[in-house]
């Protein structure tokens, strides 16, 4: 299937590793030019060279802290300077730490809001004028299954990612007349460094016999009986970014092996 991504240009947040990297690789493999960004400049540079070598697509790496509005603007400006436009935006940042309500400080909440919600809003603000003027655009936010079925111990993620969902659903209606779609992709338990961190936080791994033991507990909760792979989520993102997905907007789609028990 030709997804119609050749000649399109994309920004993928948090793309030096994990889900963001998988998405950037998938878009580049479909022929899109890609801006990747993350805090670790060395890891980011290695990712850039790897994606270039695998796909032959043009890749620009911009070290950035996406919690900072100026850095978001700099990422977008770099993409426009290199490719002339931004057609596709995939928002993604690392998740906030786990913790119950009484364990979290006011600073923890402020950091999580800047990291998850404000970065998404700032990116959308920066790319939408160009998308609207061209009559075509795709905004895809990587959130979490926690917005449909809260995960115990993830107070910050459950709360703030729900705010991202509300923002995206409202924005989708506002920009639909301009040919811009806005959707959310909700990863479940996926085999990434972030999942290892969650398994280790709170002493869960130590108490249960290691990270793999925690993974086995999670796998028993998943109808498919296994963790997801980043490429499986990336495939959905590439489709939502494509010409073929032009009538899908305002959706929140899980990629979780059936873990979420809700009807919608």
């Amino acid at each position: 299937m030709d997804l119609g991504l050749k000649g399109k240009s994309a920004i993928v947040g948090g793309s030096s590793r994990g889900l963001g990297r998988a998405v950037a690789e998938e878009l580049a493999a479909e022929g899109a030019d890609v801006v990747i960004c993350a805090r670790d400049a060395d890891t980011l540079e290695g990712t850039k060279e790897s994606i270039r070598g695998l796909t032959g697509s043009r890749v620009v790496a911009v070290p950035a802290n996406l919690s900072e509005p100026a850095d978001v603007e700099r990422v977008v400006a770099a993409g426009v300077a290199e490719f002339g436009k931004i057609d596709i935006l995939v928002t993604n940042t690392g998740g906030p730490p786990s913790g119950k309500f009484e364990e979290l400080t006011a600073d923890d909440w402020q950091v999580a809001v800047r990291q998850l919600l404000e970065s998404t809003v700032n990116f959308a603000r920066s790319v939408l004028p160009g998308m609207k003027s061209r009559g075509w655009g795709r905004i895809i936010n990587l959130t979490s299954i926690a917005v449909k079925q809260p995960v115990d111990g993830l107070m910050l993620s459950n709360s703030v990612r729900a705010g991202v969902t509300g923002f995206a659903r409202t924005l989708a209606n506002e920009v639909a007349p301009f040919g811009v779609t806005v959707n959310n992709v909700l990863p479940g338990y996926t085999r990434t460094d972030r999942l290892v961190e969650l398994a280790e936080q709170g002493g869960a791994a130590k108490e249960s016999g290691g990270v793999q033991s925690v993974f086995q507990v999670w796998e028993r909760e998943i109808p498919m009986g296994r963790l997801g792979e980043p490429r499986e989520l990336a495939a959905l993102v590439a489709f939502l970014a494509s010409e073929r997905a032009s009538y899908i907007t305002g959706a929140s789609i899980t990629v979780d092996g059936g873990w979420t028990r809700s009807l919608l």
Side-chain angles (χ1 to χ4, degrees):
M1 180 187 295
D2 183 2
L3 296 181
L5 293 180
K6 292 179 181 177
K8 301 296 186 185
S9 53
I11 291 174
V12 183
S15 41
S16 64
R17 59 179 185 159
L19 296 177
R21 176 171 178 161
V23 169
E25 287 181 354
E26 190 77 10
L27 293 176
E30 291 293 333
D33 300 319
V34 182
V35 180
I36 61 173
C37 53
R39 297 188 191 195
D40 188 330
D42 292 338
T43 302
L44 195 66
E45 186 66 21
T47 299
K48 179 188 77 173
E49 294 304 323
S50 176
I51 295 175
R52 278 181 173 176
L54 287 170
T55 67
S57 290
R58 294 188 294 171
V59 183
V60 172
V62 185
N65 177 357
L66 300 181
S67 296
E68 298 294 335
D71 277 19
V72 170
E73 292 180 5
R74 186 164 52 80
V75 170
V76 175
V80 172
E82 186 72 21
F83 304 134
K85 58 187 173 63
I86 300 299
D87 302 297
I88 300 158
L89 169 65
V90 181
T91 71
N92 173 54
T93 62
S98 60
K100 296 182 179 179
F101 178 68
E102 293 183 351
E103 300 168 346
L104 300 169
T105 67
D107 284 345
D108 291 330
W109 282 96
Q110 290 173 4
V111 169
V113 168
R114 287 198 301 269
Q115 180 183 21
L116 300 178
L117 178 57
E118 291 184 8
S119 66
T120 301
V121 172
N122 291 331
F123 258 132
R125 183 182 290 117
S126 294
V127 302
L128 269 173
M131 290 179 175
K132 290 169 68 176
S133 68
R134 292 186 298 274
W136 200 97
R138 302 284 186 266
I139 297 176
I140 302 157
N141 307 301
L142 301 192
T143 61
S144 169
I145 49 173
V147 305
K148 287 200 173 186
Q149 184 175 318
V151 178
D152 290 345
L154 297 187
M155 172 62 74
L156 293 173
S157 183
N158 294 345
S159 302
V160 184
R161 291 191 196 278
V164 174
T165 304
F167 165 72
R169 184 63 190 87
T170 308
L171 182 65
N173 287 355
E174 293 185 5
V175 300
F178 300 94
V180 179
T181 67
V182 184
N183 292 291
N184 304 311
V185 173
L186 286 53
Y189 291 102
T190 309
R191 197 180 299 277
T192 62
D193 292 342
R194 164 68 172 165
L195 202 66
V196 174
E197 292 169 4
L198 287 177
E200 292 174 339
Q201 286 173 1
K206 183 177 180 180
E207 293 172 6
S208 62
V211 168
Q212 291 303 319
S213 295
V214 178
F215 284 0
Q216 289 170 6
V217 171
W218 289 339
E219 287 170 343
R220 287 194 291 270
E221 299 174 354
I222 301 168
M224 295 193 92
R226 64 175 178 85
L227 302 178
E229 298 295 335
R231 60 181 174 77
E232 294 174 307
L233 178 135
L236 174 61
V237 175
F239 177 74
L240 290 174
S242 74
E243 295 280 3
R244 299 296 186 99
S246 58
Y247 203 57
I248 302 172
T249 196
S252 291
I253 305 173
T254 55
V255 184
D256 65 355
W259 181 88
T260 306
R261 298 305 197 263
S262 63
L263 294 178
L264 299 173

